[in-house]
Amino acid sequence: MSPFSNKRTDEYGGDFEGRMRFPLRVVEGVRLAVGPDFPIIFRFSADEYIDGGLTLEDNKLIAQLLVDAGVDALSVSAGIYESTPWYSRIFPTMAMPEGCNVDLASEIKKVVKVPVIVAGKLGNPEFAAEVLSSGKADIIAFGRPLLADAELPKKVSQGRLDEIRPCIYCNEACAGNMSHFWRIECVVNPELGREREYRINPVQKSRRVLVVGGGPAGMEAARVAALRGHDVTLQEKEDTLGGQLIAASVPQFKQPIQGYAEYLENQVKSLGVKLQLGSEVSPESIRKMKPDVVILATGSSHTIPDIPGIGAANVASASDILLGRKQAGNRVAVIGGGQVGCELAWFLAEQGKKVTVIEAELGVANDMNMFSRFYLTDRLAELGVEIAMTTTAEEITSEGVAAVDAAGNRRVIEADTVAIATGQGGAEAGPGAAIWLFLAEAVGGAVLGLATGYIAFVAMRSIDEHNIEVVITLALVTGTYALAGALHLSGPIAVVVAGLLIGNHGTRFAMSATTRDHIHKFWSLTDEMLNAALFLMIGFEVITLTIYGGAAWLVARRSGAPPGGK
């Protein structure tokens, strides 16, 4: 339908009438197949938000034509893959307005007499009810909110709104995982996709459980333990629950996180968890309490770079600024261009401050999913935030930050305040703990890669001997590659290669002996190519292991402490 994407020159392209021919014929064909009493719902983007694409006015006409063709309801979304910020219209981000497509649905509803469905950040039942009561839409479509809490509709119907686990629209484990060819998960719902494994069953014998830490991990642990029937006490050294969620929810564009923190707090209170706030745990206090089980959920702390001037008065952590413990000046240099640093830059730039982000790597916000990252980087550009990539902070002075880029060019980035956003680390972790995690992944990847290579080699040797052995070996190849994909990006590529192997040898078995002889040379060539791909991926794993091993040695040598901490 869209002139942006439809470049056909036949009867299904060209002018508006030509571009509408395909969808109208689809509707006509579906109606003939299902009969007059089966509902047909047509999903479309009411505004593509891109030059040369369909506008709202275009889609008002399209909506009327679809209804005239026999469509019983229209489902309204927005944007296409190329709409800027890329993908953000399709997977609305945490920072986008609640009900971001409601106004579009309202305009479509004015020109048709069939029900209009709307989707897009409508997981708040009270807001969704307002949309319906105002007549802007007839039906609310839930997507990601049902991943966060599959019982959302049931809880709404029973008036249990405080029990709804809210979606925070982070896109990390749902859309983000899909972009990495991995299964859908949920940051706020660990049960998603593992409902049988994580089923909460009552215990036969109740135990006294002490949870240390009132952040999201501690509250979730306390919630589940209480649901199972344990006697739970939660101790938190601060006067409030929430942990890192408190600072994270300060920016206006991070408000959904506050709703999640409130949900967890409501849960632990309603389930009878004993709360001891402003109470720091010590070995003596634990011995005095005599719990049967202690769950440590003390969270993470800021990783502070070891550079001259780090303790100066003009230096503050990201949390200090967000929580108002320190005030940022008019010129701010943010050391660290991950998600925290970039979001802090956004927060400060909206206040009219001149912000520079200093990042040692190529690119910023690389720790985010691409959907939210595109939206974030677009906002930084709009706000005039300067990005200094491949640049390392060498010293903090009263004038700002002395830095050097990858080419060796040195300069002073002037700043009244230097904000530290160089990541988080476990409270008890030593300087090389993260490196050891990388090493574990690399070793696992290398072992899987080598094992896969061996299995593939055996498969190649035995491929023409026994059909059953072929099936088993190829199944092992595919399964091993799937596991490798969980550890490294070579995994998805390897799955493709495994698929080619199956197709290659499966087709060979389907052919007659005479036909196989005629194209023997072709099969030999493809086997060589596939074997080369296999060994290249094994080499990738070995190289990764070598790099991580060298990095671990360098970090341990420079820090003067063994990796892993105490």
Side-chain angles (χ1 to χ4, degrees):
M1 299 190 297
S2 173
F4 179 86
S5 53
N6 186 344
K7 305 301 182 184
R8 297 177 67 149
T9 57
D10 59 8
E11 62 177 320
Y12 295 107
D15 59 11
F16 180 77
E17 182 180 355
R19 287 184 278 109
M20 284 302 299
R21 186 167 285 116
F22 182 80
L24 292 177
R25 286 187 177 177
V26 168
V27 172
E28 180 184 358
V30 172
R31 176 58 69 204
L32 287 172
V34 301
D37 299 324
F38 198 91
I40 297 176
I41 301 173
F42 197 101
R43 179 72 175 265
F44 70 115
S45 291
D47 194 328
E48 293 188 334
Y49 291 108
I50 193 167
D51 291 339
L54 291 173
T55 66
L56 176 58
E57 293 304 314
D58 294 327
N59 281 298
K60 285 182 179 180
L61 177 57
I62 288 172
Q64 295 175 68
L65 292 174
L66 291 171
V67 172
D68 291 342
V71 168
D72 299 295
L74 295 168
S75 181
V76 172
S77 183
I80 58 177
Y81 290 121
E82 294 84 359
S83 305
T84 56
W86 285 4
Y87 299 98
S88 298
R89 298 285 181 182
I90 299 172
F91 300 100
T93 69
M94 188 185 302
M96 293 177 72
E98 192 172 28
C100 50
N101 297 326
V102 169
D103 289 340
L104 295 175
S106 178
E107 291 299 309
I108 296 296
K109 185 170 167 55
K110 292 176 183 178
V111 299
V112 296
K113 296 185 182 300
V114 298
V116 172
I117 307 167
V118 63
K121 289 197 70 175
L122 289 164
N124 180 342
E126 295 173 331
F127 181 82
E130 289 178 11
V131 172
L132 296 177
S133 62
S134 66
K136 293 182 177 180
D138 301 296
I139 301 173
I140 301 298
F142 292 130
R144 290 169 296 172
L146 292 179
L147 301 180
D149 193 333
E151 295 188 347
L152 187 154
K154 178 181 178 181
K155 292 177 180 178
V156 170
S157 67
Q158 296 175 349
R160 298 155 52 201
L161 300 187
D162 288 344
E163 296 181 28
I164 297 173
R165 184 193 291 112
C167 173
I168 61 175
Y169 307 102
C170 64
N171 286 331
E172 285 297 334
C174 50
N177 274 18
M178 285 194 298
S179 70
H180 292 292
F181 307 101
W182 192 234
R183 66 168 181 262
I184 292 178
E185 296 174 310
C186 181
V187 166
V188 301
N189 181 14
E191 300 170 42
L192 180 65
R194 299 178 177 179
E195 289 81 3
R196 182 179 299 173
E197 179 184 354
Y198 288 171
R199 182 179 298 159
I200 299 175
N201 297 316
V203 294
Q204 295 182 347
K205 180 182 178 181
S206 177
R207 296 178 181 273
R208 298 178 64 209
V209 178
L210 171 63
V211 179
V212 182
M219 287 192 284
E220 176 67 8
R223 182 187 76 87
V224 173
L227 283 172
R228 298 199 65 201
H230 293 299
D231 178 12
V232 185
T233 299
L234 187 152
Q235 281 193 286
E236 165 59 45
K237 69 176 181 179
E238 303 295 339
D239 294 328
T240 56
L241 294 171
Q244 299 282 4
L245 296 181
I246 299 173
S249 63
V250 169
Q252 181 275 331
F253 52 85
K254 302 276 284 185
Q255 285 301 300
I257 290 179
Q258 182 178 346
Y260 175 55
E262 291 172 353
Y263 156 78
L264 288 173
E265 184 171 350
N266 290 335
Q267 283 290 288
V268 295
K269 288 180 177 178
S270 64
L271 291 170
V273 174
K274 302 181 186 71
L275 300 177
Q276 297 183 6
L277 304 182
S279 172
E280 192 158 2
V281 176
S282 66
E284 292 74 19
S285 66
I286 293 177
R287 281 192 288 266
K288 184 178 179 180
M289 186 178 293
K290 297 181 180 179
D292 298 310
V293 177
V294 178
I295 299 175
L296 293 178
T298 50
S300 58
S301 57
H302 289 284
T303 301
I304 306 300
D306 184 16
I307 58 176
I310 195 67
N314 62 336
V315 178
S317 69
S319 293
D320 284 339
I321 294 174
L322 290 169
L323 296 173
R325 291 194 287 251
K326 287 191 176 182
Q327 297 299 316
N330 291 324
R331 301 173 303 169
V332 183
V334 180
I335 299 179
Q339 178 176 357
V340 173
C342 289
E343 289 182 341
L344 178 64
W346 179 355
F347 175 70
L348 295 172
E350 281 193 331
Q351 301 173 22
K353 302 183 187 300
K354 184 180 183 300
V355 185
T356 302
V357 175
I358 304 169
E359 170 55 48
E361 294 184 3
L362 180 63
V364 294
N366 291 329
D367 53 343
M368 296 180 71
N369 67 84
M370 66 177 183
F371 312 104
S372 301
R373 180 175 182 264
F374 289 143
Y375 192 86
L376 169 62
T377 52
D378 271 27
R379 288 295 294 142
L380 295 181
E382 291 170 5
L383 292 166
V385 173
E386 180 186 354
I387 306 294
M389 293 184 293
T390 64
T391 299
T392 303
E394 291 190 320
E395 182 181 5
I396 299 172
T397 69
S398 58
E399 296 179 354
V401 179
V404 59
D405 64 20
N409 302 310
R410 284 180 162 76
R411 66 165 173 148
V412 174
I413 298 172
E414 297 182 350
D416 306 310
T417 304
V418 178
I420 306 301
T422 48
Q424 305 284 121
E428 296 298 323
I435 295 298
W436 278 110
L437 176 61
F438 281 128
L439 273 173
E441 290 185 349
V443 170
V447 170
L448 285 172
L450 291 170
T452 301
Y454 175 74
I455 293 170
F457 177 73
V458 172
M460 295 290 188
R461 295 277 301 243
S462 62
I463 201 74
D464 291 316
E465 295 177 6
H466 304 288
N467 289 12
I468 186 63
E469 189 172 355
V470 170
V471 174
I472 294 173
T473 50
L474 289 179
L476 286 172
V477 169
T478 307
T480 307
Y481 275 139
L483 289 174
L487 298 178
H488 290 294
L489 290 177
S490 62
I493 302 171
V495 170
V496 174
V497 175
L500 291 173
L501 281 170
I502 295 172
N504 181 5
H505 295 292
T507 305
R508 188 185 309 189
F509 273 112
M511 291 181 177
S512 65
T514 305
T515 307
R516 284 202 301 270
D517 290 339
H518 281 304
I519 56 173
H520 174 73
K521 292 183 179 179
F522 171 76
W523 289 124
S524 298
L525 176 62
T526 52
D527 277 350
E528 290 175 7
M529 293 172 61
L530 292 171
N531 275 320
L534 290 172
F535 284 107
L536 279 174
M537 281 175 284
I538 294 170
F540 173 81
E541 302 292 350
V542 173
I543 292 170
T544 304
L545 174 60
T546 304
I547 292 173
Y548 282 147
W553 179 80
L554 287 173
V555 168
R557 182 181 177 88
R558 292 185 63 182
S559 65
K566 298 177 183 178

